[in-house]
Amino acid sequence: MKYKNIEINWLGHAGFKIKNKEKIIYIDPFQLNSSYEKADIIFITHPHYDHCSIEDIKKIIKSETIVVSTSDINSKLRKVNDNLNIKLVEPNQEFNINGIKVKTIQSYNIGKEFHPKNNFWLGYIIDFDGVRVYHSGDTDIIPEMNTVKTDVALLPVGGTYTLDSFEAVKVAEIIAPKLAIPMHYGSIVGTKNDAENFVNECRKRGLNAEVLEKDD
């Protein structure tokens, strides 16, 4: 879909491709099943196989591609290519990468063991010339979300390992993005009904939300 000056494509699960006039960015590419454009930047939220897929990263890298990730993914990423350009980051950082402004937000579970807080895994706020996109990573409702200011929020709705659809609505209320898009469903856990429930509940609360069809 087009949103202002960017194009947002849901790749299934928690994966997205986002383009502006100058850059092609991927976030957590997983089970890519088509011929995709090569990436300028790839953002990885954490090491789990459905977010850091070596097979899929190999499909979209070129010599200039930069992969942004947490330090505990470094050795895994070296399986892609010994010369892979990796930028290791931590929560609560702000930086500029090839003209793209990025802020890292911690991402974790509360009361679940799947994504511990002390692993320092990530969500990202990526600024495309003034249009900010927040990819939350695998998370529950956490205090750090009170600091998030974004135009577009990509939020998990599948439950079990992350927010379920109703919890994701609460996050959308906290963040109040101009557009909320559900993710983390339809592959490992969660269904399209979860995504549609999220969108319907958001709209009841006056929040703009949309289900994206998977980009095949």
Side-chain angles (χ1 to χ4, degrees):
M1 68 169 294
K2 289 285 291 184
Y3 180 83
K4 296 188 177 180
N5 64 331
I6 61 174
E7 181 181 322
I8 304 171
N9 295 281
W10 180 54
L11 308 177
H13 198 50
F16 287 86
K17 179 178 72 173
I18 305 174
K19 296 173 60 176
N20 66 3
K21 291 185 297 184
E22 300 172 350
K23 303 295 179 191
I24 299 172
I25 287 175
Y26 288 80
I27 309 171
D28 287 358
F30 177 59
Q31 294 182 337
L32 304 181
N33 55 7
S34 296
S35 177
Y36 282 93
E37 297 173 280
K38 300 301 183 183
D40 293 301
I41 309 170
I42 302 171
F43 291 91
I44 305 296
T45 60
H46 64 288
H48 289 166
Y49 75 95
D50 52 326
H51 297 264
C52 181
S53 168
I54 298 305
E55 175 185 354
D56 290 293
I57 292 171
K58 285 180 177 179
K59 294 176 183 177
I60 54 176
I61 61 168
K62 56 186 179 181
S63 59
E64 300 87 1
T65 301
I66 300 171
V67 179
V68 181
S69 76
T70 55
S71 60
D72 56 356
I73 311 178
N74 188 42
S75 60
K76 185 176 181 180
L77 288 173
R78 290 301 171 194
K79 297 176 183 177
V80 176
N81 186 323
D82 286 338
N83 298 317
L84 187 64
N85 189 351
I86 303 171
K87 180 176 178 62
L88 302 179
V89 295
E90 300 174 349
N92 307 313
Q93 290 185 326
E94 295 186 44
F95 54 91
N96 188 302
I97 182 166
N98 283 5
I100 301 290
K101 296 178 183 177
V102 183
K103 182 176 182 179
T104 54
I105 304 290
Q106 195 161 1
S107 178
Y108 57 92
N109 289 140
I110 296 176
K112 305 187 192 86
E113 61 184 14
F114 306 110
H115 306 91
K117 184 176 182 179
N118 60 7
N119 282 359
F120 302 108
W121 292 341
L122 297 174
Y124 296 97
I125 300 174
I126 306 168
D127 189 326
F128 297 85
D129 297 323
V131 177
R132 293 164 296 183
V133 178
Y134 170 52
H135 187 295
S136 72
D138 281 5
T139 189
D140 288 326
I141 301 173
I142 56 176
E144 288 82 355
M145 289 170 170
N146 290 300
T147 69
V148 172
K149 298 184 186 306
T150 190
D151 299 287
V152 180
L154 311 175
L155 301 175
V157 299
T160 305
Y161 308 105
T162 69
L163 303 164
D164 63 26
S165 60
F166 295 101
E167 291 167 331
V169 172
K170 293 178 182 178
V171 172
E173 289 183 301
I174 292 168
I175 296 173
K178 295 181 176 67
L179 173 64
I181 296 172
M183 66 171 182
H184 211 282
Y185 68 92
S187 177
I188 293 170
V189 67
T191 66
K192 190 170 184 179
N193 283 340
D194 293 313
E196 291 172 345
N197 287 340
F198 168 76
V199 167
N200 291 336
E201 291 299 319
C202 280
R203 290 174 177 172
K204 288 178 185 177
R205 292 159 173 78
L207 297 165
N208 184 27
E210 187 169 339
V211 174
L212 299 190
E213 294 299 320
K214 184 178 177 181
D215 183 7
D216 292 323

